Short mmCIF file of all heavy atoms in Angstrom, two decimals:
data_model
loop_
_atom_site.label_atom_id
_atom_site.label_comp_id
_atom_site.label_asym_id
_atom_site.label_seq_id
_atom_site.Cartn_x
_atom_site.Cartn_y
_atom_site.Cartn_z
N ASP A 274 -38.28 20.60 10.36
CA ASP A 274 -38.49 22.03 10.63
C ASP A 274 -37.63 22.58 11.69
O ASP A 274 -37.09 23.71 11.59
CB ASP A 274 -40.01 22.17 10.96
CG ASP A 274 -40.90 21.88 9.77
OD1 ASP A 274 -40.46 21.98 8.68
OD2 ASP A 274 -42.05 21.53 10.04
N LEU A 275 -37.46 21.84 12.80
CA LEU A 275 -36.56 22.26 13.87
C LEU A 275 -35.10 22.28 13.31
O LEU A 275 -34.32 23.19 13.60
CB LEU A 275 -36.69 21.29 15.01
CG LEU A 275 -35.72 21.52 16.13
CD1 LEU A 275 -35.87 22.97 16.75
CD2 LEU A 275 -35.88 20.42 17.29
N ALA A 276 -34.74 21.30 12.53
CA ALA A 276 -33.43 21.28 11.94
C ALA A 276 -33.14 22.53 11.13
O ALA A 276 -32.02 23.06 11.11
CB ALA A 276 -33.14 19.97 11.20
N ALA A 277 -34.20 22.89 10.37
CA ALA A 277 -34.00 24.08 9.39
C ALA A 277 -33.77 25.32 10.22
O ALA A 277 -32.98 26.17 9.82
CB ALA A 277 -35.26 24.15 8.55
N ALA A 278 -34.51 25.47 11.33
CA ALA A 278 -34.36 26.70 12.18
C ALA A 278 -32.98 26.73 12.73
O ALA A 278 -32.35 27.79 12.77
CB ALA A 278 -35.40 26.76 13.23
N HIS A 279 -32.47 25.58 13.27
CA HIS A 279 -31.13 25.62 13.83
C HIS A 279 -30.03 25.90 12.79
O HIS A 279 -29.08 26.58 13.09
CB HIS A 279 -30.86 24.19 14.47
CG HIS A 279 -31.28 24.16 15.89
ND1 HIS A 279 -30.73 24.86 16.88
CD2 HIS A 279 -32.23 23.27 16.54
CE1 HIS A 279 -31.29 24.51 18.03
NE2 HIS A 279 -32.16 23.60 17.82
N ALA A 280 -30.26 25.39 11.59
CA ALA A 280 -29.24 25.62 10.49
C ALA A 280 -29.28 27.08 10.01
O ALA A 280 -28.33 27.58 9.52
CB ALA A 280 -29.59 24.69 9.32
N ALA A 281 -30.43 27.76 10.26
CA ALA A 281 -30.59 29.11 9.72
C ALA A 281 -30.07 30.19 10.66
O ALA A 281 -29.62 31.28 10.23
CB ALA A 281 -32.03 29.40 9.43
N HIS A 282 -30.12 29.95 12.02
CA HIS A 282 -29.81 30.96 13.00
C HIS A 282 -29.09 30.42 14.18
O HIS A 282 -29.33 29.26 14.58
CB HIS A 282 -31.15 31.63 13.55
CG HIS A 282 -32.12 31.93 12.43
ND1 HIS A 282 -31.89 32.92 11.54
CD2 HIS A 282 -33.38 31.46 12.18
CE1 HIS A 282 -32.95 33.08 10.75
NE2 HIS A 282 -33.86 32.24 11.14
N PRO A 283 -28.24 31.20 14.73
CA PRO A 283 -27.65 30.84 16.17
C PRO A 283 -28.79 30.92 17.19
O PRO A 283 -29.58 31.86 17.14
CB PRO A 283 -26.56 31.88 16.30
CG PRO A 283 -27.02 33.06 15.53
CD PRO A 283 -27.68 32.52 14.37
N PHE A 284 -28.73 29.94 18.10
CA PHE A 284 -29.72 29.85 19.18
C PHE A 284 -29.05 30.20 20.48
O PHE A 284 -27.82 29.86 20.72
CB PHE A 284 -30.28 28.40 19.29
CG PHE A 284 -31.45 28.11 18.43
CD1 PHE A 284 -31.48 28.36 17.06
CD2 PHE A 284 -32.63 27.59 19.03
CE1 PHE A 284 -32.60 28.09 16.32
CE2 PHE A 284 -33.73 27.36 18.23
CZ PHE A 284 -33.78 27.59 16.90
N VAL A 285 -29.73 30.78 21.36
CA VAL A 285 -29.32 31.05 22.76
C VAL A 285 -30.42 30.32 23.58
O VAL A 285 -31.58 30.67 23.60
CB VAL A 285 -29.31 32.54 23.13
CG1 VAL A 285 -29.01 32.72 24.62
CG2 VAL A 285 -28.26 33.25 22.21
N VAL A 286 -30.02 29.24 24.31
CA VAL A 286 -31.01 28.37 24.94
C VAL A 286 -30.92 28.50 26.44
O VAL A 286 -29.92 28.71 27.03
CB VAL A 286 -30.79 26.91 24.51
CG1 VAL A 286 -30.92 26.74 22.95
CG2 VAL A 286 -29.44 26.35 24.95
N THR A 287 -32.19 28.24 27.05
CA THR A 287 -32.24 28.02 28.43
C THR A 287 -33.39 27.06 28.62
O THR A 287 -34.26 26.94 27.79
CB THR A 287 -32.44 29.34 29.22
OG1 THR A 287 -32.40 29.01 30.66
CG2 THR A 287 -33.76 30.01 28.89
N TRP A 288 -33.47 26.31 29.69
CA TRP A 288 -34.44 25.32 29.98
C TRP A 288 -35.60 25.82 30.83
O TRP A 288 -35.47 26.86 31.47
CB TRP A 288 -33.83 24.07 30.52
CG TRP A 288 -33.08 24.28 31.83
CD1 TRP A 288 -33.34 25.07 32.85
CD2 TRP A 288 -31.85 23.58 32.19
NE1 TRP A 288 -32.39 24.98 33.83
CE2 TRP A 288 -31.51 24.07 33.47
CE3 TRP A 288 -31.09 22.59 31.52
CZ2 TRP A 288 -30.38 23.60 34.08
CZ3 TRP A 288 -29.90 22.17 32.21
CH2 TRP A 288 -29.60 22.65 33.45
N ASP A 289 -36.66 25.03 30.88
CA ASP A 289 -37.70 25.21 31.88
C ASP A 289 -37.74 23.80 32.63
O ASP A 289 -36.74 23.31 32.92
CB ASP A 289 -38.98 25.66 31.29
CG ASP A 289 -40.00 26.19 32.32
OD1 ASP A 289 -39.54 26.48 33.45
OD2 ASP A 289 -41.19 26.21 32.06
N ASP A 290 -38.98 23.33 32.77
CA ASP A 290 -39.12 22.12 33.55
C ASP A 290 -39.13 20.83 32.79
O ASP A 290 -38.43 19.79 33.19
CB ASP A 290 -40.41 22.18 34.49
CG ASP A 290 -41.63 22.52 33.64
OD1 ASP A 290 -41.48 23.06 32.54
OD2 ASP A 290 -42.73 22.33 34.17
N HIS A 291 -39.77 20.79 31.61
CA HIS A 291 -39.97 19.46 30.93
C HIS A 291 -38.74 18.87 30.38
O HIS A 291 -38.79 17.67 30.09
CB HIS A 291 -41.02 19.65 29.81
CG HIS A 291 -42.42 19.86 30.36
ND1 HIS A 291 -43.13 18.87 30.94
CD2 HIS A 291 -43.17 20.97 30.38
CE1 HIS A 291 -44.29 19.30 31.31
NE2 HIS A 291 -44.39 20.62 31.04
N GLU A 292 -37.68 19.62 30.22
CA GLU A 292 -36.43 19.00 29.86
C GLU A 292 -35.96 17.97 30.97
O GLU A 292 -35.15 17.09 30.69
CB GLU A 292 -35.27 20.04 29.68
CG GLU A 292 -35.40 20.93 28.46
CD GLU A 292 -36.20 22.16 28.73
OE1 GLU A 292 -36.86 22.31 29.69
OE2 GLU A 292 -36.22 23.06 27.80
N THR A 293 -36.53 18.06 32.12
CA THR A 293 -36.27 17.18 33.25
C THR A 293 -37.55 16.46 33.70
O THR A 293 -37.77 15.28 33.46
CB THR A 293 -35.53 17.83 34.40
OG1 THR A 293 -34.33 18.44 33.94
CG2 THR A 293 -35.26 16.83 35.51
N GLU A 294 -38.39 17.31 34.29
CA GLU A 294 -39.70 16.72 34.84
C GLU A 294 -40.60 17.92 35.05
O GLU A 294 -40.14 19.01 35.49
CB GLU A 294 -39.48 15.99 36.14
CG GLU A 294 -40.76 15.42 36.70
CD GLU A 294 -40.53 14.88 38.13
OE1 GLU A 294 -40.12 15.69 39.06
OE2 GLU A 294 -40.82 13.74 38.36
N ASN A 295 -41.92 17.71 34.82
CA ASN A 295 -42.90 18.84 34.90
C ASN A 295 -42.82 19.46 36.34
O ASN A 295 -42.92 18.78 37.36
CB ASN A 295 -44.32 18.23 34.67
CG ASN A 295 -45.34 19.34 34.88
OD1 ASN A 295 -45.33 20.34 34.24
ND2 ASN A 295 -46.24 18.99 35.74
N ASN A 296 -42.72 20.84 36.30
CA ASN A 296 -42.87 21.67 37.50
C ASN A 296 -41.94 21.30 38.69
O ASN A 296 -42.28 21.62 39.86
CB ASN A 296 -44.37 21.61 38.05
CG ASN A 296 -45.14 22.58 37.21
OD1 ASN A 296 -44.82 23.07 36.13
ND2 ASN A 296 -46.32 22.93 37.70
N TYR A 297 -40.76 20.69 38.39
CA TYR A 297 -39.84 20.47 39.53
C TYR A 297 -39.33 21.83 39.93
O TYR A 297 -39.37 22.76 39.27
CB TYR A 297 -38.73 19.57 39.10
CG TYR A 297 -37.60 20.20 38.31
CD1 TYR A 297 -36.44 20.68 38.93
CD2 TYR A 297 -37.65 20.18 36.92
CE1 TYR A 297 -35.40 21.15 38.22
CE2 TYR A 297 -36.56 20.74 36.16
CZ TYR A 297 -35.52 21.25 36.81
OH TYR A 297 -34.50 21.76 36.06
N ALA A 298 -38.87 21.91 41.22
CA ALA A 298 -38.39 23.06 41.83
C ALA A 298 -37.08 22.75 42.57
O ALA A 298 -37.16 22.16 43.65
CB ALA A 298 -39.43 23.71 42.76
N GLY A 299 -35.99 23.20 42.02
CA GLY A 299 -34.66 22.88 42.70
C GLY A 299 -34.46 21.45 42.79
O GLY A 299 -34.47 20.63 41.81
N GLU A 300 -34.34 20.91 44.01
CA GLU A 300 -34.14 19.54 44.31
C GLU A 300 -35.44 18.76 44.54
O GLU A 300 -35.45 17.55 44.93
CB GLU A 300 -33.20 19.36 45.50
CG GLU A 300 -31.81 19.92 45.32
CD GLU A 300 -31.00 19.85 46.64
OE1 GLU A 300 -31.41 19.08 47.51
OE2 GLU A 300 -29.98 20.54 46.75
N THR A 301 -36.54 19.47 44.41
CA THR A 301 -37.88 18.94 44.74
C THR A 301 -38.60 18.39 43.43
O THR A 301 -38.89 19.23 42.63
CB THR A 301 -38.73 19.96 45.46
OG1 THR A 301 -38.04 20.51 46.62
CG2 THR A 301 -40.05 19.38 45.88
N PRO A 302 -38.86 17.14 43.39
CA PRO A 302 -39.48 16.62 42.17
C PRO A 302 -40.99 16.87 42.27
O PRO A 302 -41.55 17.29 43.33
CB PRO A 302 -39.19 15.17 42.23
CG PRO A 302 -39.02 14.84 43.67
CD PRO A 302 -38.45 16.10 44.34
N GLU A 303 -41.67 16.72 41.10
CA GLU A 303 -43.10 16.71 41.07
C GLU A 303 -43.75 15.60 41.87
O GLU A 303 -44.72 15.82 42.57
CB GLU A 303 -43.56 16.70 39.59
CG GLU A 303 -45.08 16.72 39.45
CD GLU A 303 -45.59 16.56 38.01
OE1 GLU A 303 -44.88 15.79 37.28
OE2 GLU A 303 -46.61 17.09 37.70
N ASN A 304 -43.18 14.40 41.72
CA ASN A 304 -43.74 13.26 42.34
C ASN A 304 -43.01 12.92 43.64
O ASN A 304 -41.96 13.39 43.96
CB ASN A 304 -43.69 12.06 41.40
CG ASN A 304 -44.43 12.36 40.07
OD1 ASN A 304 -45.55 12.75 40.11
ND2 ASN A 304 -43.75 12.08 38.93
N ASP A 305 -43.66 12.04 44.40
CA ASP A 305 -43.13 11.73 45.76
C ASP A 305 -42.03 10.66 45.60
O ASP A 305 -42.26 9.43 45.81
CB ASP A 305 -44.28 11.28 46.65
CG ASP A 305 -43.88 11.01 48.10
OD1 ASP A 305 -42.82 11.65 48.49
OD2 ASP A 305 -44.57 10.31 48.78
N VAL A 306 -40.80 11.07 45.30
CA VAL A 306 -39.63 10.16 45.25
C VAL A 306 -38.58 10.75 46.08
O VAL A 306 -38.47 11.97 46.33
CB VAL A 306 -39.17 9.88 43.82
CG1 VAL A 306 -40.30 9.33 42.92
CG2 VAL A 306 -38.71 11.27 43.18
N PRO A 307 -37.64 9.92 46.59
CA PRO A 307 -36.56 10.43 47.40
C PRO A 307 -35.71 11.46 46.60
O PRO A 307 -35.51 11.34 45.44
CB PRO A 307 -35.71 9.19 47.72
CG PRO A 307 -36.65 8.05 47.57
CD PRO A 307 -37.57 8.45 46.46
N PRO A 308 -35.22 12.58 47.28
CA PRO A 308 -34.45 13.51 46.63
C PRO A 308 -33.25 13.01 45.82
O PRO A 308 -32.98 13.49 44.74
CB PRO A 308 -34.03 14.50 47.80
CG PRO A 308 -35.01 14.25 48.86
CD PRO A 308 -35.42 12.85 48.80
N GLU A 309 -32.59 12.01 46.44
CA GLU A 309 -31.44 11.51 45.73
C GLU A 309 -31.75 10.74 44.38
O GLU A 309 -31.06 10.86 43.40
CB GLU A 309 -30.59 10.54 46.57
CG GLU A 309 -31.33 9.37 47.22
CD GLU A 309 -31.99 9.69 48.53
OE1 GLU A 309 -32.26 10.82 48.82
OE2 GLU A 309 -32.22 8.71 49.30
N GLU A 310 -32.94 10.16 44.39
CA GLU A 310 -33.45 9.56 43.11
C GLU A 310 -33.72 10.57 42.07
O GLU A 310 -33.39 10.48 40.89
CB GLU A 310 -34.66 8.68 43.40
CG GLU A 310 -35.15 7.94 42.24
CD GLU A 310 -36.44 7.06 42.53
OE1 GLU A 310 -36.47 6.61 43.63
OE2 GLU A 310 -37.26 6.92 41.62
N PHE A 311 -34.38 11.68 42.53
CA PHE A 311 -34.67 12.74 41.60
C PHE A 311 -33.46 13.44 41.06
O PHE A 311 -33.30 13.79 39.87
CB PHE A 311 -35.65 13.77 42.19
CG PHE A 311 -35.76 15.01 41.33
CD1 PHE A 311 -36.46 14.93 40.10
CD2 PHE A 311 -35.19 16.24 41.68
CE1 PHE A 311 -36.57 16.07 39.27
CE2 PHE A 311 -35.29 17.36 40.87
CZ PHE A 311 -36.02 17.23 39.66
N LEU A 312 -32.44 13.65 41.98
CA LEU A 312 -31.16 14.28 41.53
C LEU A 312 -30.45 13.41 40.48
O LEU A 312 -29.79 13.96 39.60
CB LEU A 312 -30.35 14.55 42.74
CG LEU A 312 -30.75 15.73 43.62
CD1 LEU A 312 -29.96 15.81 44.88
CD2 LEU A 312 -30.67 17.04 42.88
N LEU A 313 -30.55 12.10 40.61
CA LEU A 313 -29.95 11.22 39.64
C LEU A 313 -30.64 11.46 38.26
O LEU A 313 -29.97 11.47 37.24
CB LEU A 313 -29.99 9.79 40.07
CG LEU A 313 -29.26 8.79 39.25
CD1 LEU A 313 -27.86 9.15 39.17
CD2 LEU A 313 -29.38 7.40 39.78
N ARG A 314 -31.97 11.53 38.27
CA ARG A 314 -32.69 11.84 37.07
C ARG A 314 -32.31 13.17 36.49
O ARG A 314 -32.13 13.37 35.35
CB ARG A 314 -34.22 11.70 37.34
CG ARG A 314 -35.06 11.99 36.11
CD ARG A 314 -36.55 11.96 36.38
NE ARG A 314 -37.34 12.17 35.15
CZ ARG A 314 -38.66 12.14 35.19
NH1 ARG A 314 -39.34 11.89 36.30
NH2 ARG A 314 -39.29 12.36 34.00
N ARG A 315 -32.18 14.17 37.44
CA ARG A 315 -31.83 15.51 36.96
C ARG A 315 -30.47 15.53 36.36
O ARG A 315 -30.17 16.22 35.34
CB ARG A 315 -31.91 16.48 38.18
CG ARG A 315 -31.92 17.96 37.77
CD ARG A 315 -32.08 18.83 38.97
NE ARG A 315 -30.80 19.31 39.48
CZ ARG A 315 -30.65 20.23 40.40
NH1 ARG A 315 -31.66 20.76 41.02
NH2 ARG A 315 -29.40 20.56 40.83
N ALA A 316 -29.50 14.77 36.94
CA ALA A 316 -28.19 14.66 36.37
C ALA A 316 -28.21 14.05 34.95
O ALA A 316 -27.53 14.55 34.03
CB ALA A 316 -27.35 13.77 37.25
N ALA A 317 -29.03 13.09 34.76
CA ALA A 317 -29.14 12.42 33.37
C ALA A 317 -29.74 13.47 32.44
O ALA A 317 -29.29 13.65 31.28
CB ALA A 317 -30.00 11.26 33.46
N ALA A 318 -30.81 14.21 32.90
CA ALA A 318 -31.51 15.20 32.02
C ALA A 318 -30.53 16.29 31.64
O ALA A 318 -30.44 16.77 30.49
CB ALA A 318 -32.72 15.74 32.68
N TYR A 319 -29.72 16.78 32.65
CA TYR A 319 -28.84 17.98 32.42
C TYR A 319 -27.72 17.52 31.45
O TYR A 319 -27.33 18.30 30.59
CB TYR A 319 -28.25 18.46 33.74
CG TYR A 319 -29.24 19.29 34.56
CD1 TYR A 319 -30.56 19.30 34.30
CD2 TYR A 319 -28.69 19.99 35.65
CE1 TYR A 319 -31.43 20.10 35.09
CE2 TYR A 319 -29.55 20.71 36.46
CZ TYR A 319 -30.92 20.79 36.18
OH TYR A 319 -31.74 21.53 36.92
N ARG A 320 -27.24 16.33 31.60
CA ARG A 320 -26.17 15.85 30.77
C ARG A 320 -26.66 15.75 29.29
O ARG A 320 -25.93 16.20 28.35
CB ARG A 320 -25.64 14.54 31.18
CG ARG A 320 -24.50 14.01 30.37
CD ARG A 320 -24.11 12.55 30.71
NE ARG A 320 -22.91 12.10 29.99
CZ ARG A 320 -21.71 12.08 30.46
NH1 ARG A 320 -21.50 12.51 31.71
NH2 ARG A 320 -20.68 11.61 29.74
N ALA A 321 -27.81 15.16 29.07
CA ALA A 321 -28.39 15.03 27.79
C ALA A 321 -28.67 16.40 27.18
O ALA A 321 -28.56 16.64 25.92
CB ALA A 321 -29.64 14.15 27.81
N TYR A 322 -29.11 17.37 27.99
CA TYR A 322 -29.36 18.73 27.47
C TYR A 322 -28.07 19.31 26.92
O TYR A 322 -28.14 19.85 25.82
CB TYR A 322 -29.96 19.53 28.60
CG TYR A 322 -30.41 20.93 28.22
CD1 TYR A 322 -31.59 21.22 27.66
CD2 TYR A 322 -29.44 22.07 28.37
CE1 TYR A 322 -32.01 22.49 27.37
CE2 TYR A 322 -29.85 23.33 28.07
CZ TYR A 322 -31.14 23.54 27.46
OH TYR A 322 -31.51 24.80 27.12
N TRP A 323 -27.04 19.30 27.70
CA TRP A 323 -25.78 19.86 27.28
C TRP A 323 -25.27 19.16 25.99
O TRP A 323 -24.79 19.78 25.06
CB TRP A 323 -24.69 19.79 28.36
CG TRP A 323 -23.43 20.44 27.93
CD1 TRP A 323 -23.22 21.75 28.01
CD2 TRP A 323 -22.27 19.84 27.34
NE1 TRP A 323 -21.86 21.97 27.52
CE2 TRP A 323 -21.37 20.85 27.12
CE3 TRP A 323 -21.96 18.51 27.02
CZ2 TRP A 323 -20.09 20.58 26.53
CZ3 TRP A 323 -20.72 18.20 26.48
CH2 TRP A 323 -19.78 19.27 26.27
N GLU A 324 -25.39 17.79 25.97
CA GLU A 324 -24.96 17.07 24.80
C GLU A 324 -25.65 17.53 23.52
O GLU A 324 -25.09 17.49 22.44
CB GLU A 324 -25.15 15.55 25.00
CG GLU A 324 -24.19 14.86 26.02
CD GLU A 324 -24.56 13.47 26.28
OE1 GLU A 324 -25.66 13.07 25.82
OE2 GLU A 324 -23.74 12.78 26.94
N ASN A 325 -26.88 17.91 23.62
CA ASN A 325 -27.75 18.17 22.47
C ASN A 325 -28.04 19.65 22.20
O ASN A 325 -28.90 20.01 21.38
CB ASN A 325 -29.01 17.39 22.63
CG ASN A 325 -28.83 15.95 22.44
OD1 ASN A 325 -28.79 15.49 21.27
ND2 ASN A 325 -28.72 15.21 23.46
N GLN A 326 -27.26 20.57 22.86
CA GLN A 326 -27.43 21.99 22.62
C GLN A 326 -26.17 22.66 22.28
O GLN A 326 -25.10 22.25 22.73
CB GLN A 326 -28.10 22.67 23.80
CG GLN A 326 -29.43 22.11 24.22
CD GLN A 326 -30.54 22.45 23.23
OE1 GLN A 326 -30.33 23.17 22.21
NE2 GLN A 326 -31.77 22.06 23.52
N PRO A 327 -26.24 23.80 21.52
CA PRO A 327 -24.96 24.51 21.23
C PRO A 327 -24.54 25.36 22.37
O PRO A 327 -24.72 26.55 22.43
CB PRO A 327 -25.40 25.35 20.01
CG PRO A 327 -26.83 25.57 20.18
CD PRO A 327 -27.36 24.32 20.83
N LEU A 328 -23.94 24.68 23.37
CA LEU A 328 -23.43 25.34 24.58
C LEU A 328 -21.95 25.14 24.71
O LEU A 328 -21.39 24.06 24.45
CB LEU A 328 -24.19 24.75 25.81
CG LEU A 328 -25.65 25.08 25.88
CD1 LEU A 328 -26.40 24.15 26.87
CD2 LEU A 328 -25.85 26.58 26.31
N ARG A 329 -21.31 26.11 25.34
CA ARG A 329 -19.87 26.06 25.60
C ARG A 329 -19.52 25.14 26.81
O ARG A 329 -20.40 24.83 27.57
CB ARG A 329 -19.27 27.41 25.75
CG ARG A 329 -19.26 28.18 24.40
CD ARG A 329 -18.46 29.53 24.59
NE ARG A 329 -18.26 30.18 23.32
CZ ARG A 329 -19.13 30.88 22.60
NH1 ARG A 329 -20.33 31.08 23.15
NH2 ARG A 329 -18.89 31.43 21.43
N ARG A 330 -18.26 24.91 26.97
CA ARG A 330 -17.75 24.07 28.04
C ARG A 330 -18.10 24.57 29.48
O ARG A 330 -18.45 23.77 30.34
CB ARG A 330 -16.31 23.84 27.91
CG ARG A 330 -15.75 22.84 28.94
CD ARG A 330 -14.26 22.46 28.60
NE ARG A 330 -14.21 21.70 27.33
CZ ARG A 330 -14.47 20.44 27.19
NH1 ARG A 330 -14.77 19.71 28.23
NH2 ARG A 330 -14.33 19.89 26.07
N PRO A 331 -18.13 25.88 29.71
CA PRO A 331 -18.58 26.35 31.08
C PRO A 331 -19.95 25.94 31.49
O PRO A 331 -20.32 25.85 32.65
CB PRO A 331 -18.41 27.85 30.94
CG PRO A 331 -17.47 28.09 29.98
CD PRO A 331 -17.57 27.04 28.90
N GLN A 332 -20.80 25.54 30.45
CA GLN A 332 -22.10 25.11 30.81
C GLN A 332 -22.12 23.55 30.97
O GLN A 332 -23.23 23.01 31.29
CB GLN A 332 -23.08 25.48 29.68
CG GLN A 332 -23.62 26.92 29.81
CD GLN A 332 -22.54 27.99 29.68
OE1 GLN A 332 -21.90 28.10 28.60
NE2 GLN A 332 -22.29 28.80 30.68
N GLN A 333 -21.08 22.87 30.71
CA GLN A 333 -21.08 21.40 30.92
C GLN A 333 -21.41 21.02 32.32
O GLN A 333 -20.83 21.57 33.25
CB GLN A 333 -19.75 20.78 30.53
CG GLN A 333 -19.68 19.27 30.50
CD GLN A 333 -18.41 18.76 30.02
OE1 GLN A 333 -17.72 19.39 29.20
NE2 GLN A 333 -18.02 17.60 30.46
#
Side-chain angles (χ1 to χ4, degrees):
D274 295 334
L275 176 58
H279 272 296
H282 311 296
F284 271 55
V285 176
V286 300
T287 187
W288 56 36
D289 194 19
D290 52 343
H291 288 289
E292 289 89 349
T293 301
E294 180 191 58
N295 179 56
N296 278 18
Y297 81 93
E300 298 175 17
T301 305
E303 177 186 34
N304 300 312
D305 188 19
V306 299
E309 58 270 24
E310 183 179 329
F311 171 68
L312 286 173
L313 187 57
R314 179 181 183 177
R315 197 176 93 171
Y319 284 13
R320 183 188 184 101
Y322 184 85
W323 185 82
E324 289 175 348
N325 287 279
Q326 298 292 359
L328 290 165
R329 288 187 170 82
R330 187 167 294 277
Q332 277 66 59
Q333 184 176 335

